[in-house]
Amino acid sequence: MSAATAQGINLGEQFKMDDLWELLEADGCPQPLVKAVIRQLEVEEVDFVNGWMCADRNKSVRWVGATMLEAQGQVSTPVREFQEAWKNELPEQWRMSATLDALKGLFTQPTSTTIRFAVDGSQSTISTASLASARSGTGKAVRKWHEKFKNTRQ
């Protein structure tokens, strides 16, 4: 999201997916992964034939926050630190939506100032196998797009 915003792609309005493909392809991000994410974040059905889409603000904000939280596993993080990192991954006009209410059911608070992912398979945004593989370094060779997320993995 932050890369799209930096390149002037307004995710909240209709945009050409070719612009997004081009941006992410340069970073080595596989197109099937991008399509899967787009299907999760779309407002309406994506027009893959004509190449237009628009991301849903609420779905996108929740998905980004949930993915970041889940990637941390059971590591407790200060709430302010987590929210700041989360907001930094969102387009400017969406940042005010990055509240803990958007993540209801996905986290626990071991203390009043910390947050961590709630272990509940039904709420998972990424598979346990892929998370374990990412942490262990097994699987396919690391590509550039993985490097963007390495700070969120512990």
Side-chain angles (χ1 to χ4, degrees), residues 13-30:
E13 296 178 6
Q14 287 231 337
F15 62 89
K16 282 291 264 180
M17 286 190 316
D18 288 343
D19 296 340
L20 187 61
W21 297 140
E22 193 175 297
L23 174 66
L24 296 174
E25 189 175 57
D27 284 345
C29 190

Side-chain angles (χ1 to χ4, degrees), residues 37-98:
V37 170
I38 286 171
R39 284 190 179 106
Q40 293 294 315
L41 306 179
E42 65 191 350
V43 171
E44 298 173 5
E45 190 169 320
V46 177
D47 185 356
F48 283 111
V49 175
N50 294 315
W52 289 92
M53 79 150 299
C54 177
D56 179 274
R57 175 191 298 228
N58 294 330
K59 286 181 185 178
S60 300
V61 168
R62 180 175 170 87
W63 184 82
V64 170
T67 303
M68 290 176 67
L69 193 58
E70 186 172 3
Q72 292 178 0
Q74 288 300 294
V75 176
S76 294
T77 305
V79 173
R80 284 186 177 190
E81 183 180 311
F82 172 76
Q83 283 187 295
E84 189 64 31
W86 181 18
K87 288 177 182 181
N88 287 338
E89 295 301 320
L90 298 171
E92 187 69 37
Q93 66 271 25
W94 291 4
R95 291 180 181 192
M96 69 183 130
S97 299

